Amino acid sequence: MPTVKRARLYVGRHAKRTILLFLLFTILMTISLLGFALHTASNAAIKELRGSIGGYFMLQTGADGNEKTGDALLEQVKTLDNISRWNGLDTYYLYTEGLELVPGANYGTGTVGEFMPKFIGCTNSSLHPRFLSASFQLAEGRHIMADDIHKVVLSQDIARKNGLAVGDTVTGSVVEGVRDWQENAYGTQAGFEIVGIYAATRSEPVSPATQESELQENMLFTDISTAKELFHAKFPERTEKDYTYRSGLMLFLKDPARMEETVSLLKQQPWADWDGLVISENSAAYQQAAGPIQKAASISLFLLAVILVISIVLLSLTLLMWLRERVTEIGILISLGLSAQDICGQILLENYMVAAPAYGLSVLLGAALAGQADRLAGGVLDSVKLSAAQAVVVLVCAAAVVLATVLLASLPVTRKRPKDIFTDLS
């Protein structure tokens, strides 16, 4: 009787055993497909996250002030292959007459300090640490961009106190008593159009001695072009190449996982005396966002490994148990002249006949359940989908597992002589 016919008859005559094996295959392959889909989606999400958020390191002038963080250094650092974007920062103060600030230590004194907020010049305000950490969130309008001139983003508190909205203007000037300015610059003015309004999402500890300029609600984010204009007003004898990003340069990475490597490479370059600069690494935003996804990826990888081990163990134990019940049958087949290869082939076909429809059902179940896998991952993945490539990989792995378990379970019996088999039974 042909091997295929023997296998088909055996599967049909042992319905309970066939159904049990069918369910076992279906469950194991469905879980494998889901684990594979989740692991693939997690890795894709981490890769996308590296490009969208990224970590950054900060370059700041050291205490001796000899090395400057200016445009010349920025242009060189930008050539590193892992640098994706940057944000230059500067801090200065202006007197904003009539602009009511959140009250601090100078409230009601009528002094310059009562109307002196902190101005933060930046290339892109959305890349400022306050916005990256979500302690500030844009509530209206837009952020400061690199090509802006005389633009400002201020807090909801100041906007409400002064009845200001996007499109209105505020003016700052240099007068006696404004921090970090000399007499030669008195009278300098700068007007700013409001392009955005932010909300402070976290409170900060303050004391009665806290100055208005140090309150988070009194921070005004302005464009870097205006900061450079005011630099020239302050130091008319200096040229544009002398301008320094006094609050530092933020250099963002394409791949924050390569932070240490990138900083090490930077220090090998002859562009500056790196001992004269302060380099601060910061990948907190990336780590915070990537943490749950990396956890999901680790869990899914562990799940795949566990499922593979469990599959081999369960199938081996099941087949070994069933083969012990078929020892007489195998002995008869061997005595009729069937080789070990023929018998192993029959048992393998029996399993494949059950595994094939189980695989088809597993693909359908896996595709239906993949959309719900994000919920199991804590909602950190945008989309979990079962692809054709994943289904093929699981099919190949399942076929290999079945082959290995059948050989492992059947070869010890099929290699015996019929006489030895029947002797063992007696």
Short mmCIF file of all heavy atoms in Angstrom, two decimals, residues 15-80:
data_model
loop_
_atom_site.label_atom_id
_atom_site.label_comp_id
_atom_site.label_asym_id
_atom_site.label_seq_id
_atom_site.Cartn_x
_atom_site.Cartn_y
_atom_site.Cartn_z
N ALA A 15 -9.66 9.67 14.78
CA ALA A 15 -10.22 11.01 14.79
C ALA A 15 -9.84 11.79 16.05
O ALA A 15 -9.46 12.97 15.97
CB ALA A 15 -11.73 10.94 14.67
N LYS A 16 -9.95 11.15 17.21
CA LYS A 16 -9.64 11.87 18.45
C LYS A 16 -8.19 12.34 18.48
O LYS A 16 -7.89 13.47 18.86
CB LYS A 16 -9.94 10.98 19.64
CG LYS A 16 -11.42 10.71 19.88
CD LYS A 16 -11.63 9.88 21.13
CE LYS A 16 -13.12 9.64 21.38
NZ LYS A 16 -13.36 8.83 22.61
N ARG A 17 -7.31 11.44 18.09
CA ARG A 17 -5.89 11.79 18.06
C ARG A 17 -5.62 12.89 17.04
O ARG A 17 -4.83 13.82 17.30
CB ARG A 17 -5.07 10.54 17.74
CG ARG A 17 -3.57 10.74 17.83
CD ARG A 17 -2.85 9.42 17.69
NE ARG A 17 -3.16 8.53 18.82
CZ ARG A 17 -2.64 7.32 18.97
NH1 ARG A 17 -1.81 6.84 18.05
NH2 ARG A 17 -2.95 6.58 20.00
N THR A 18 -6.27 12.81 15.91
CA THR A 18 -6.10 13.83 14.85
C THR A 18 -6.58 15.20 15.33
O THR A 18 -5.92 16.22 15.11
CB THR A 18 -6.87 13.42 13.59
OG1 THR A 18 -6.34 12.17 13.10
CG2 THR A 18 -6.74 14.48 12.51
N ILE A 19 -7.74 15.23 15.98
CA ILE A 19 -8.29 16.51 16.47
C ILE A 19 -7.37 17.11 17.54
O ILE A 19 -7.11 18.33 17.53
CB ILE A 19 -9.71 16.29 17.04
CG1 ILE A 19 -10.68 15.93 15.90
CG2 ILE A 19 -10.19 17.54 17.77
CD1 ILE A 19 -12.07 15.54 16.38
N LEU A 20 -6.87 16.28 18.44
CA LEU A 20 -5.97 16.77 19.48
C LEU A 20 -4.70 17.36 18.88
O LEU A 20 -4.24 18.46 19.27
CB LEU A 20 -5.62 15.63 20.43
CG LEU A 20 -4.67 16.00 21.60
CD1 LEU A 20 -5.29 17.07 22.46
CD2 LEU A 20 -4.35 14.76 22.42
N LEU A 21 -4.13 16.65 17.90
CA LEU A 21 -2.92 17.15 17.24
C LEU A 21 -3.21 18.42 16.46
O LEU A 21 -2.39 19.36 16.42
CB LEU A 21 -2.36 16.06 16.32
CG LEU A 21 -0.97 16.32 15.74
CD1 LEU A 21 0.06 16.46 16.85
CD2 LEU A 21 -0.57 15.19 14.78
N PHE A 22 -4.39 18.48 15.83
CA PHE A 22 -4.80 19.67 15.07
C PHE A 22 -4.87 20.90 16.00
O PHE A 22 -4.37 21.98 15.66
CB PHE A 22 -6.15 19.42 14.40
CG PHE A 22 -6.73 20.62 13.71
CD1 PHE A 22 -6.32 20.95 12.42
CD2 PHE A 22 -7.68 21.41 14.32
CE1 PHE A 22 -6.85 22.05 11.76
CE2 PHE A 22 -8.21 22.52 13.68
CZ PHE A 22 -7.80 22.84 12.40
N LEU A 23 -5.48 20.72 17.15
CA LEU A 23 -5.60 21.82 18.11
C LEU A 23 -4.23 22.25 18.63
O LEU A 23 -3.96 23.45 18.79
CB LEU A 23 -6.50 21.41 19.28
CG LEU A 23 -7.99 21.22 18.95
CD1 LEU A 23 -8.75 20.70 20.16
CD2 LEU A 23 -8.61 22.52 18.45
N LEU A 24 -3.38 21.26 18.88
CA LEU A 24 -2.03 21.57 19.37
C LEU A 24 -1.26 22.38 18.34
O LEU A 24 -0.64 23.41 18.67
CB LEU A 24 -1.30 20.28 19.70
CG LEU A 24 0.11 20.40 20.27
CD1 LEU A 24 0.09 21.16 21.60
CD2 LEU A 24 0.75 19.03 20.45
N PHE A 25 -1.29 21.96 17.09
CA PHE A 25 -0.63 22.70 16.02
C PHE A 25 -1.20 24.11 15.88
O PHE A 25 -0.46 25.09 15.74
CB PHE A 25 -0.78 21.96 14.68
CG PHE A 25 0.22 20.86 14.46
CD1 PHE A 25 -0.18 19.62 14.00
CD2 PHE A 25 1.57 21.07 14.70
CE1 PHE A 25 0.73 18.60 13.78
CE2 PHE A 25 2.49 20.06 14.49
CZ PHE A 25 2.07 18.82 14.04
N THR A 26 -2.52 24.22 15.91
CA THR A 26 -3.17 25.52 15.71
C THR A 26 -2.77 26.51 16.80
O THR A 26 -2.42 27.67 16.51
CB THR A 26 -4.70 25.36 15.70
OG1 THR A 26 -5.08 24.46 14.65
CG2 THR A 26 -5.38 26.71 15.48
N ILE A 27 -2.82 26.07 18.04
CA ILE A 27 -2.49 26.97 19.16
C ILE A 27 -1.03 27.40 19.09
O ILE A 27 -0.71 28.61 19.20
CB ILE A 27 -2.78 26.26 20.49
CG1 ILE A 27 -4.28 26.05 20.66
CG2 ILE A 27 -2.22 27.08 21.66
CD1 ILE A 27 -4.65 25.20 21.86
N LEU A 28 -0.12 26.45 18.89
CA LEU A 28 1.30 26.78 18.88
C LEU A 28 1.66 27.70 17.71
O LEU A 28 2.41 28.66 17.88
CB LEU A 28 2.13 25.50 18.82
CG LEU A 28 2.07 24.60 20.06
CD1 LEU A 28 2.90 23.34 19.84
CD2 LEU A 28 2.57 25.34 21.29
N MET A 29 1.12 27.43 16.53
CA MET A 29 1.46 28.27 15.38
C MET A 29 0.80 29.64 15.46
O MET A 29 1.38 30.64 15.02
CB MET A 29 1.07 27.55 14.08
CG MET A 29 2.01 26.39 13.75
SD MET A 29 1.80 25.72 12.07
CE MET A 29 0.27 24.82 12.27
N THR A 30 -0.40 29.74 16.02
CA THR A 30 -1.05 31.04 16.18
C THR A 30 -0.25 31.93 17.12
O THR A 30 0.00 33.11 16.83
CB THR A 30 -2.48 30.88 16.72
OG1 THR A 30 -3.25 30.09 15.81
CG2 THR A 30 -3.14 32.24 16.90
N ILE A 31 0.17 31.36 18.25
CA ILE A 31 0.97 32.13 19.20
C ILE A 31 2.31 32.52 18.58
O ILE A 31 2.81 33.63 18.80
CB ILE A 31 1.18 31.33 20.50
CG1 ILE A 31 -0.17 31.09 21.19
CG2 ILE A 31 2.12 32.08 21.44
CD1 ILE A 31 -0.08 30.23 22.43
N SER A 32 2.90 31.63 17.81
CA SER A 32 4.16 31.94 17.14
C SER A 32 4.00 33.09 16.15
O SER A 32 4.84 34.00 16.09
CB SER A 32 4.69 30.70 16.41
OG SER A 32 4.98 29.67 17.31
N LEU A 33 2.92 33.06 15.38
CA LEU A 33 2.66 34.13 14.41
C LEU A 33 2.47 35.48 15.12
O LEU A 33 3.00 36.50 14.69
CB LEU A 33 1.42 33.79 13.58
CG LEU A 33 1.60 32.69 12.53
CD1 LEU A 33 0.25 32.23 12.00
CD2 LEU A 33 2.48 33.18 11.38
N LEU A 34 1.72 35.47 16.22
CA LEU A 34 1.50 36.70 16.97
C LEU A 34 2.81 37.22 17.58
O LEU A 34 3.08 38.42 17.54
CB LEU A 34 0.47 36.48 18.07
CG LEU A 34 -0.99 36.41 17.64
CD1 LEU A 34 -1.88 36.05 18.82
CD2 LEU A 34 -1.44 37.73 17.03
N GLY A 35 3.59 36.32 18.14
CA GLY A 35 4.87 36.73 18.72
C GLY A 35 5.80 37.30 17.68
O GLY A 35 6.48 38.31 17.91
N PHE A 36 5.83 36.67 16.49
CA PHE A 36 6.68 37.14 15.40
C PHE A 36 6.23 38.53 14.93
O PHE A 36 7.04 39.43 14.72
CB PHE A 36 6.62 36.14 14.26
CG PHE A 36 7.74 36.28 13.26
CD1 PHE A 36 8.75 37.20 13.42
CD2 PHE A 36 7.77 35.47 12.13
CE1 PHE A 36 9.78 37.33 12.51
CE2 PHE A 36 8.79 35.58 11.20
CZ PHE A 36 9.79 36.52 11.39
N ALA A 37 4.91 38.71 14.78
CA ALA A 37 4.38 39.99 14.33
C ALA A 37 4.67 41.10 15.34
O ALA A 37 5.05 42.22 14.98
CB ALA A 37 2.87 39.88 14.08
N LEU A 38 4.52 40.78 16.62
CA LEU A 38 4.78 41.77 17.66
C LEU A 38 6.25 42.14 17.71
O LEU A 38 6.60 43.32 17.85
CB LEU A 38 4.33 41.20 19.02
CG LEU A 38 4.50 42.11 20.24
CD1 LEU A 38 3.70 43.39 20.06
CD2 LEU A 38 4.09 41.40 21.51
N HIS A 39 7.12 41.15 17.58
CA HIS A 39 8.56 41.42 17.61
C HIS A 39 8.98 42.28 16.41
O HIS A 39 9.76 43.24 16.56
CB HIS A 39 9.33 40.10 17.59
CG HIS A 39 10.81 40.25 17.70
ND1 HIS A 39 11.42 40.79 18.82
CD2 HIS A 39 11.82 39.97 16.82
CE1 HIS A 39 12.73 40.82 18.63
NE2 HIS A 39 12.99 40.33 17.44
N THR A 40 8.45 41.97 15.24
CA THR A 40 8.77 42.76 14.05
C THR A 40 8.27 44.19 14.18
O THR A 40 8.98 45.15 13.85
CB THR A 40 8.16 42.10 12.80
OG1 THR A 40 8.64 40.76 12.68
CG2 THR A 40 8.52 42.88 11.55
N ALA A 41 7.04 44.35 14.68
CA ALA A 41 6.48 45.69 14.86
C ALA A 41 7.27 46.48 15.89
O ALA A 41 7.47 47.70 15.74
CB ALA A 41 5.02 45.59 15.28
N SER A 42 7.73 45.82 16.95
CA SER A 42 8.51 46.50 17.99
C SER A 42 9.83 47.00 17.43
O SER A 42 10.23 48.15 17.69
CB SER A 42 8.76 45.54 19.17
OG SER A 42 7.55 45.10 19.73
N ASN A 43 10.52 46.17 16.68
CA ASN A 43 11.79 46.59 16.09
C ASN A 43 11.60 47.74 15.11
O ASN A 43 12.42 48.67 15.05
CB ASN A 43 12.46 45.41 15.39
CG ASN A 43 13.03 44.40 16.37
OD1 ASN A 43 13.35 44.75 17.50
ND2 ASN A 43 13.16 43.16 15.94
N ALA A 44 10.52 47.68 14.32
CA ALA A 44 10.24 48.76 13.38
C ALA A 44 9.94 50.06 14.12
O ALA A 44 10.36 51.14 13.71
CB ALA A 44 9.07 48.37 12.48
N ALA A 45 9.20 49.96 15.22
CA ALA A 45 8.85 51.15 16.00
C ALA A 45 10.09 51.78 16.64
O ALA A 45 10.23 53.00 16.68
CB ALA A 45 7.83 50.79 17.07
N ILE A 46 11.00 50.94 17.13
CA ILE A 46 12.23 51.45 17.73
C ILE A 46 13.08 52.15 16.68
O ILE A 46 13.64 53.23 16.92
CB ILE A 46 13.02 50.31 18.40
CG1 ILE A 46 12.27 49.80 19.63
CG2 ILE A 46 14.42 50.77 18.79
CD1 ILE A 46 12.90 48.58 20.26
N LYS A 47 13.16 51.57 15.48
CA LYS A 47 13.93 52.18 14.40
C LYS A 47 13.35 53.53 14.02
O LYS A 47 14.07 54.51 13.82
CB LYS A 47 13.95 51.24 13.19
CG LYS A 47 14.80 51.75 12.04
CD LYS A 47 14.83 50.75 10.89
CE LYS A 47 15.69 51.26 9.74
NZ LYS A 47 15.72 50.28 8.62
N GLU A 48 12.02 53.60 13.94
CA GLU A 48 11.37 54.86 13.60
C GLU A 48 11.56 55.88 14.72
O GLU A 48 11.76 57.07 14.48
CB GLU A 48 9.88 54.63 13.37
CG GLU A 48 9.12 55.89 12.97
CD GLU A 48 7.65 55.62 12.74
OE1 GLU A 48 7.24 54.45 12.77
OE2 GLU A 48 6.90 56.59 12.54
N LEU A 49 11.51 55.40 15.95
CA LEU A 49 11.65 56.28 17.11
C LEU A 49 13.04 56.91 17.15
O LEU A 49 13.19 58.08 17.51
CB LEU A 49 11.40 55.49 18.39
CG LEU A 49 11.26 56.29 19.69
CD1 LEU A 49 10.01 57.15 19.64
CD2 LEU A 49 11.21 55.35 20.87
N ARG A 50 14.04 56.14 16.77
CA ARG A 50 15.40 56.67 16.78
C ARG A 50 15.54 57.89 15.87
O ARG A 50 16.26 58.83 16.16
CB ARG A 50 16.39 55.58 16.33
CG ARG A 50 16.63 54.51 17.37
CD ARG A 50 17.54 53.43 16.82
NE ARG A 50 17.84 52.44 17.84
CZ ARG A 50 18.56 51.34 17.63
NH1 ARG A 50 19.03 51.09 16.41
NH2 ARG A 50 18.81 50.50 18.61
N GLY A 51 14.82 57.84 14.74
CA GLY A 51 14.89 58.96 13.82
C GLY A 51 14.00 60.11 14.19
O GLY A 51 14.31 61.27 13.91
N SER A 52 12.85 59.83 14.82
CA SER A 52 11.88 60.89 15.10
C SER A 52 12.18 61.65 16.38
O SER A 52 11.98 62.86 16.46
CB SER A 52 10.47 60.29 15.17
OG SER A 52 10.39 59.35 16.22
N ILE A 53 12.66 60.94 17.42
CA ILE A 53 12.95 61.60 18.68
C ILE A 53 14.45 61.84 18.81
O ILE A 53 14.92 62.96 18.87
CB ILE A 53 12.45 60.77 19.88
CG1 ILE A 53 10.92 60.68 19.84
CG2 ILE A 53 12.88 61.42 21.18
CD1 ILE A 53 10.33 59.89 20.99
N GLY A 54 15.17 60.77 18.85
CA GLY A 54 16.62 60.89 18.96
C GLY A 54 17.08 61.44 20.30
O GLY A 54 16.37 62.16 20.97
N GLY A 55 18.28 61.08 20.69
CA GLY A 55 18.90 61.71 21.84
C GLY A 55 19.72 62.89 21.35
O GLY A 55 19.82 63.15 20.15
N TYR A 56 20.29 63.60 22.26
CA TYR A 56 21.14 64.72 21.87
C TYR A 56 22.24 64.90 22.90
O TYR A 56 22.16 64.42 24.03
CB TYR A 56 20.34 66.00 21.73
CG TYR A 56 19.78 66.56 23.04
CD1 TYR A 56 20.53 67.43 23.83
CD2 TYR A 56 18.51 66.21 23.48
CE1 TYR A 56 20.03 67.93 25.02
CE2 TYR A 56 18.00 66.70 24.67
CZ TYR A 56 18.76 67.57 25.43
OH TYR A 56 18.26 68.06 26.61
N PHE A 57 23.30 65.59 22.48
CA PHE A 57 24.30 66.02 23.44
C PHE A 57 24.45 67.53 23.32
O PHE A 57 24.18 68.12 22.27
CB PHE A 57 25.63 65.28 23.26
CG PHE A 57 26.31 65.52 21.93
CD1 PHE A 57 27.19 66.58 21.74
CD2 PHE A 57 26.09 64.66 20.86
CE1 PHE A 57 27.82 66.79 20.52
CE2 PHE A 57 26.71 64.85 19.64
CZ PHE A 57 27.58 65.92 19.47
N MET A 58 24.83 68.14 24.42
CA MET A 58 24.93 69.60 24.49
C MET A 58 26.40 70.00 24.54
O MET A 58 27.18 69.42 25.30
CB MET A 58 24.21 70.11 25.73
CG MET A 58 24.30 71.60 25.95
SD MET A 58 23.03 72.51 25.06
CE MET A 58 21.64 72.26 26.17
N LEU A 59 26.77 70.99 23.71
CA LEU A 59 28.10 71.58 23.75
C LEU A 59 27.98 72.96 24.38
O LEU A 59 27.20 73.80 23.91
CB LEU A 59 28.68 71.71 22.34
CG LEU A 59 29.19 70.45 21.64
CD1 LEU A 59 29.69 70.80 20.25
CD2 LEU A 59 30.32 69.82 22.45
N GLN A 60 28.75 73.22 25.44
CA GLN A 60 28.73 74.51 26.09
C GLN A 60 30.15 74.98 26.38
O GLN A 60 31.05 74.17 26.59
CB GLN A 60 27.95 74.44 27.41
CG GLN A 60 26.46 74.17 27.22
CD GLN A 60 25.74 73.96 28.54
OE1 GLN A 60 26.00 73.00 29.25
NE2 GLN A 60 24.83 74.86 28.86
N THR A 61 30.33 76.29 26.37
CA THR A 61 31.63 76.86 26.67
C THR A 61 32.02 76.53 28.10
O THR A 61 31.20 76.61 29.01
CB THR A 61 31.60 78.38 26.47
OG1 THR A 61 31.26 78.67 25.11
CG2 THR A 61 32.95 79.00 26.78
N GLY A 62 33.28 76.15 28.29
CA GLY A 62 33.76 75.80 29.62
C GLY A 62 33.94 77.00 30.52
O GLY A 62 33.74 78.16 30.10
N ALA A 63 34.34 76.74 31.74
CA ALA A 63 34.48 77.80 32.74
C ALA A 63 35.53 78.83 32.35
O ALA A 63 35.38 80.02 32.67
CB ALA A 63 34.83 77.19 34.10
N ASP A 64 36.59 78.40 31.65
CA ASP A 64 37.64 79.36 31.28
C ASP A 64 37.23 80.26 30.12
O ASP A 64 37.83 81.30 29.88
CB ASP A 64 38.95 78.63 30.95
CG ASP A 64 38.79 77.61 29.82
OD1 ASP A 64 37.79 77.67 29.08
OD2 ASP A 64 39.67 76.75 29.68
N GLY A 65 36.20 79.85 29.37
CA GLY A 65 35.68 80.69 28.29
C GLY A 65 36.54 80.76 27.05
O GLY A 65 36.27 81.56 26.15
N ASN A 66 37.57 79.92 26.96
CA ASN A 66 38.48 79.99 25.81
C ASN A 66 37.89 79.39 24.55
O ASN A 66 38.07 79.93 23.45
CB ASN A 66 39.81 79.30 26.14
CG ASN A 66 40.58 80.03 27.23
OD1 ASN A 66 40.50 81.26 27.32
ND2 ASN A 66 41.32 79.30 28.05
N GLU A 67 37.19 78.27 24.68
CA GLU A 67 36.58 77.63 23.51
C GLU A 67 35.14 78.12 23.35
O GLU A 67 34.36 78.09 24.31
CB GLU A 67 36.60 76.11 23.66
CG GLU A 67 37.98 75.50 23.51
CD GLU A 67 38.53 75.65 22.11
OE1 GLU A 67 37.73 75.74 21.16
OE2 GLU A 67 39.76 75.71 21.97
N LYS A 68 34.79 78.56 22.16
CA LYS A 68 33.48 79.15 21.91
C LYS A 68 32.58 78.19 21.14
O LYS A 68 33.03 77.47 20.24
CB LYS A 68 33.61 80.46 21.12
CG LYS A 68 34.53 81.49 21.76
CD LYS A 68 34.01 81.97 23.10
CE LYS A 68 34.89 83.06 23.69
NZ LYS A 68 34.42 83.51 25.02
N THR A 69 31.31 78.20 21.48
CA THR A 69 30.33 77.40 20.74
C THR A 69 29.62 78.31 19.75
O THR A 69 28.48 78.75 19.96
CB THR A 69 29.31 76.79 21.72
OG1 THR A 69 28.80 77.83 22.57
CG2 THR A 69 29.94 75.72 22.57
N GLY A 70 30.33 78.61 18.68
CA GLY A 70 29.80 79.50 17.65
C GLY A 70 29.45 78.75 16.38
O GLY A 70 29.49 77.51 16.32
N ASP A 71 29.11 79.50 15.33
CA ASP A 71 28.71 78.90 14.06
C ASP A 71 29.83 78.12 13.41
O ASP A 71 29.59 77.13 12.71
CB ASP A 71 28.20 79.98 13.11
CG ASP A 71 26.82 80.49 13.49
OD1 ASP A 71 26.00 79.66 13.92
OD2 ASP A 71 26.57 81.70 13.37
N ALA A 72 31.09 78.56 13.59
CA ALA A 72 32.21 77.85 12.97
C ALA A 72 32.30 76.43 13.51
O ALA A 72 32.46 75.47 12.74
CB ALA A 72 33.51 78.61 13.25
N LEU A 73 32.20 76.27 14.82
CA LEU A 73 32.23 74.93 15.41
C LEU A 73 31.00 74.14 15.01
O LEU A 73 31.09 72.95 14.70
CB LEU A 73 32.31 75.04 16.93
CG LEU A 73 32.34 73.71 17.71
CD1 LEU A 73 33.56 72.88 17.31
CD2 LEU A 73 32.33 73.95 19.21
N LEU A 74 29.84 74.79 14.99
CA LEU A 74 28.60 74.12 14.61
C LEU A 74 28.70 73.51 13.21
O LEU A 74 28.31 72.36 12.99
CB LEU A 74 27.42 75.09 14.67
CG LEU A 74 26.08 74.58 14.15
CD1 LEU A 74 25.62 73.36 14.94
CD2 LEU A 74 25.02 75.68 14.19
N GLU A 75 29.22 74.28 12.25
CA GLU A 75 29.34 73.79 10.88
C GLU A 75 30.21 72.55 10.79
O GLU A 75 29.96 71.66 9.97
CB GLU A 75 29.90 74.90 9.97
CG GLU A 75 28.94 76.05 9.75
CD GLU A 75 27.61 75.59 9.15
OE1 GLU A 75 27.64 74.75 8.22
OE2 GLU A 75 26.57 76.04 9.63
N GLN A 76 31.23 72.46 11.63
CA GLN A 76 32.10 71.28 11.61
C GLN A 76 31.44 70.08 12.29
O GLN A 76 31.50 68.97 11.78
CB GLN A 76 33.43 71.63 12.29
CG GLN A 76 34.26 72.64 11.50
CD GLN A 76 35.49 73.09 12.28
OE1 GLN A 76 35.39 73.45 13.45
NE2 GLN A 76 36.64 73.08 11.63
N VAL A 77 30.81 70.32 13.43
CA VAL A 77 30.18 69.22 14.15
C VAL A 77 29.05 68.62 13.33
O VAL A 77 28.80 67.41 13.37
CB VAL A 77 29.65 69.71 15.53
CG1 VAL A 77 28.89 68.59 16.23
CG2 VAL A 77 30.81 70.18 16.39
N LYS A 78 28.35 69.44 12.55
CA LYS A 78 27.25 68.97 11.72
C LYS A 78 27.68 67.94 10.69
O LYS A 78 26.84 67.20 10.16
CB LYS A 78 26.58 70.15 11.00
CG LYS A 78 25.66 70.97 11.88
CD LYS A 78 25.41 72.36 11.33
CE LYS A 78 25.00 72.37 9.88
NZ LYS A 78 24.69 73.76 9.41
N THR A 79 28.98 67.86 10.39
CA THR A 79 29.45 66.93 9.36
C THR A 79 29.52 65.49 9.88
O THR A 79 29.67 64.57 9.07
CB THR A 79 30.85 67.34 8.86
OG1 THR A 79 31.79 67.31 9.95
CG2 THR A 79 30.82 68.74 8.27
N LEU A 80 29.41 65.28 11.18
CA LEU A 80 29.40 63.91 11.70
C LEU A 80 28.17 63.18 11.17
O LEU A 80 27.06 63.73 11.17
CB LEU A 80 29.38 63.92 13.23
CG LEU A 80 30.62 64.50 13.93
CD1 LEU A 80 30.41 64.51 15.44
CD2 LEU A 80 31.86 63.69 13.57
#
